[in-house]
Amino acid sequence: MKKFLDGAPNRVSDHIEEMISDKDFTFANYDEAAAERVTWSDYSYWRSTFRVFFKNRTAVLLLILLAALLLFTFIQPHLPGQRPATLINNDPETGMTLFNVQPNEEFWFGTNSIGQDLWSMVWSGTRTSLIIGFTVALSEVVIGITVGVLWGYVRSLDHIMTALYNVLDNIPQTILLILISYILRPSMSTIILAMCLTSWLKMARFIRNQIVIIRDRDYNLASRCLGTPTYRIILRNLLPYLVSVMMLRIATTIPEAIGNEVFLTYIGLGLPVSIPSLGNLINTGRGMLMYQSLRYQLIFPAIVLSVVTVSFYIIGNAFADAADPKNHM
């Protein structure tokens, strides 16, 4: 019996080999792309994001309005019949300065107290304020996201970055803006420098907190165990997850920077009067608020500022909601 059992496995395997011929099976070639493809899907993150965003009619209308306003702001000086913003207009017959002229067919927004065309001043000031806002937003994105990701993901940097953040964050931003604007000569570069020194702190802290939440999730641990480089984990695993919150921060940074420029001008430390900006125009127009016939000098720049800030905020919120994968269903 024992002898029979010892030879049974060999007899079974020989019988199976006799039943199977080479014609029944063929060897398959190795396909690396097919091995990585688990299943097929036509889902596209960005296509789904834009599809959800364009369903928000209010945001789309404001986006069109804002795009038209930005485009007109930069092409306005090149249109025919436009006056230079800083030109003092005089009556060709009498030579008298056309100051405080009410809005009419010749001066659509009227003139200010020294005879400058308020129409050209408003668009030139909007252009200046937008350049400041976009520059500060770009610096906040680059510095804030870079510092925030490294701060949150590289554990050895956490103690150093936290101490540095506590020191810089305890300095009030308003005081720092006033100090730099007071020490340096008032100019556009001074305003931008003062805002860029502190604007990235909020973004860095926010990104750091988000990275700490998701850095130890299973797919990140698996990537580290497989030897995936740190930069690839950050670019592929971490940053795409934060697109919605980053877009919201970016959208609110631009109107915030414009508001800071208006504030610095209000306290007398903003751009010089020779450089048109929304801050200068609003600061000048607030002095005319008590005179009913001169209120237009405040109303027009205030309307443009309101449209820009509100549009950026609403569009940023709508895009942030659309970028959330939970809303793609």
Side-chain angles (χ1 to χ4, degrees), residues 110-187:
T111 63
N112 60 10
S113 58
I114 60 175
Q116 295 171 327
D117 184 11
L118 201 59
W119 166 267
S120 299
M121 291 284 287
V122 166
W123 297 119
S124 178
T126 304
R127 187 164 55 251
T128 301
S129 297
L130 286 174
I131 291 174
I132 294 174
F134 279 111
T135 305
V136 174
L138 180 62
S139 69
E140 177 175 334
V141 169
V142 175
I143 300 174
I145 293 179
T146 303
V147 173
V149 169
L150 295 176
W151 183 8
Y153 189 77
V154 182
R155 299 175 188 269
S156 59
L157 295 177
D158 187 64
H159 180 71
I160 299 174
M161 294 302 303
T162 301
L164 179 62
Y165 173 83
N166 290 334
V167 172
L168 296 177
D169 190 55
N170 284 327
I171 303 175
Q173 183 183 21
T174 303
I175 294 178
L176 187 60
L177 290 174
I178 294 173
L179 182 62
I180 296 176
S181 301
Y182 184 77
I183 294 175
L184 301 179
R185 178 180 299 178
S187 64

Side-chain angles (χ1 to χ4, degrees), residues 77-260:
H78 307 288
L79 297 177
Q82 301 298 311
R83 299 178 176 85
T86 56
L87 176 66
I88 297 177
N89 297 277
N90 298 318
D91 191 331
E93 297 180 359
T94 63
M96 298 291 293
T97 302
L98 299 174
F99 59 89
N100 294 334
V101 176
Q102 294 284 327
N104 54 39
E105 295 181 356
E106 184 178 2
F107 300 100
W108 290 359
F109 286 1
T111 63
N112 60 10
S113 58
I114 60 175
Q116 295 171 327
D117 184 11
L118 201 59
W119 166 267
S120 299
M121 291 284 287
V122 166
W123 297 119
S124 178
T126 304
R127 187 164 55 251
T128 301
S129 297
L130 286 174
I131 291 174
I132 294 174
F134 279 111
T135 305
V136 174
L138 180 62
S139 69
E140 177 175 334
V141 169
V142 175
I143 300 174
I145 293 179
T146 303
V147 173
V149 169
L150 295 176
W151 183 8
Y153 189 77
V154 182
R155 299 175 188 269
S156 59
L157 295 177
D158 187 64
H159 180 71
I160 299 174
M161 294 302 303
T162 301
L164 179 62
Y165 173 83
N166 290 334
V167 172
L168 296 177
D169 190 55
N170 284 327
I171 303 175
Q173 183 183 21
T174 303
I175 294 178
L176 187 60
L177 290 174
I178 294 173
L179 182 62
I180 296 176
S181 301
Y182 184 77
I183 294 175
L184 301 179
R185 178 180 299 178
S187 64
M188 187 183 299
S189 58
T190 301
I191 297 293
I192 293 174
L193 175 63
M195 294 182 187
C196 290
L197 287 177
T198 57
S199 62
W200 59 272
L201 288 174
K202 293 181 181 178
M203 173 72 84
R205 177 60 184 270
F206 182 76
I207 295 298
R208 180 260 180 191
N209 293 339
Q210 298 299 317
I211 293 295
V212 168
I213 295 174
I214 65 175
R215 70 182 177 187
D216 292 329
R217 291 186 175 177
D218 293 342
Y219 55 89
N220 290 321
L221 294 176
S223 296
R224 289 201 291 270
C225 292
L226 293 173
T228 305
T230 301
Y231 76 92
R232 189 175 180 86
I233 295 177
I234 292 174
L235 295 178
R236 294 296 184 89
N237 293 8
L238 301 179
L239 288 183
Y241 186 84
L242 304 176
V243 169
S244 60
V245 293
M246 287 190 297
M247 291 303 301
L248 179 59
R249 281 293 308 158
I250 294 170
T252 56
T253 297
I254 297 174
E256 183 179 350
I258 296 175
N260 286 334

